Amino acid sequence: MSGSGRGSPDAEWGRLEELFRRAVVLSPQDRAAMLVDLREEEPAVARELEDLLEAHDFLARAEEREPEDAFLLRLDSQWAAALVEDGSLTPPPAPRTVGRYRIVETLGRGGMGIVYRALDPRLEREVALKLLPRWLAVDERARARFSREARTASALDHPNIATIFEIDVAEDGRPYIAMAYYPGGTVAERLEEGPASVAEARTVAEGVLRGLEAAHRAGIVHRMLDAYQADHDD
């Protein structure tokens, strides 16, 4: 876990495992309350936990949508091995290269992908490289959706939307997206330093809303908003 400042990696992942085992059996209301408290006390740990819970819930929803036999048929050895590797408390080391890109560092890791800072030697520029997780990369529907979303986003040209340079497939078969790299911290990291002023918060919110507005005008709904709507349609 990056940025938690809790000590050794083994201790950090042990702490995350303990929290995950507690949270996954809670009711939605109790889990939400647990995450609220954790965000205040350990925001970096809370982000990691939410990513794991998102991946777990994704699998649970998939199983509910399909007949049990159909879902089990897709649990072949390749899929299971990839899921175990991606869900390990000791994540695999970052690759040295992906395609022509040289990996510099890991920027973020979540249930739906890993993002690296990488160097494009051909154009001598830094990029943000997002790879589909191995456990999703073996699913043709997930691969198709990943590529479709990347192609759709690449058609947008707006200062509040990341520019996509390329879509390709890595040597290990995982699709990846190379996009513009924007240095600086996340909003969550900024809030760890203390409360934001009204003016600062408004600037961030206006930028996000301008990007979403441009996407919506092009007929694109952000995936998190789409997932929220699906969860509240029942």
Side-chain angles (χ1 to χ4, degrees):
M1 294 187 310
S2 59
S4 64
R6 293 188 57 84
S8 70
D10 288 344
E12 292 172 357
W13 285 101
R15 164 73 170 154
L16 184 58
E17 180 183 23
E18 174 193 352
L19 290 171
F20 175 79
R21 292 182 184 278
R22 285 170 47 197
V24 78
V25 298
L26 294 176
S27 67
Q29 295 81 6
D30 290 341
R31 183 190 293 185
M34 174 184 175
L35 288 170
V36 168
D37 293 338
L38 193 61
R39 289 188 197 104
E40 295 180 357
E41 300 170 2
E42 302 175 82
V45 175
R47 290 196 300 272
E48 299 278 0
L49 179 59
E50 287 177 287
D51 286 340
L52 284 179
L53 291 170
E54 178 185 355
H56 174 273
D57 291 345
F58 177 88
L59 291 177
R61 288 194 299 269
E63 189 169 6
E64 291 171 0
R65 285 195 299 267
E66 298 178 320
E68 182 178 2
D69 290 344
F71 182 67
L72 291 175
L73 286 174
R74 295 198 293 113
L75 294 181
D76 58 24
S77 58
Q78 183 185 20
W79 192 93
L83 179 58
V84 168
E85 180 178 359
D86 280 351
S88 171
L89 293 177
T90 305
R96 297 183 63 182
T97 60
V98 173
R100 72 171 185 271
Y101 301 96
R102 294 202 298 267
I103 301 301
V104 178
E105 64 174 331
T106 302
L107 293 176
R109 180 186 300 271
M112 304 305 294
I114 305 171
V115 181
Y116 299 105
R117 180 165 67 95
L119 177 65
D120 180 351
R122 184 182 301 171
L123 298 177
E124 297 184 347
R125 66 182 175 189
E126 289 188 321
V127 301
L129 207 67
K130 180 177 182 179
L131 275 83
L132 197 65
R134 288 179 178 82
W135 68 275
L136 281 177
V138 298
D139 187 315
E140 287 300 324
R141 292 177 300 177
R143 291 168 62 94
R145 178 177 179 178
F146 186 82
S147 297
R148 183 172 62 250
E149 290 181 350
R151 288 194 300 271
T152 302
S154 68
L156 299 173
D157 182 12
H158 191 274
N160 295 107
I161 299 176
T163 301
I164 293 179
F165 299 137
E166 181 182 23
I167 310 167
D168 209 335
V169 179
E171 293 80 354
D172 62 2
R174 284 188 292 167
Y176 68 83
I177 303 171
M179 65 188 80
Y181 169 68
Y182 304 99
T186 65
V187 172
E189 289 169 344
R190 164 61 187 86
L191 293 178
E192 288 180 14
E193 301 172 2
S197 67
V198 173
E200 185 180 5
R202 183 174 61 188
T203 298
V204 172
E206 287 177 347
V208 171
L209 292 173
R210 281 194 292 268
L212 286 173
E213 180 185 30
H216 291 174
R217 285 182 175 176
I220 300 169
V221 177
H222 191 279
R223 187 175 62 189
M224 292 305 295
L225 296 179
D226 195 19
Y228 177 87
Q229 181 64 45
D231 288 343
H232 288 75
D233 280 345
D234 298 334

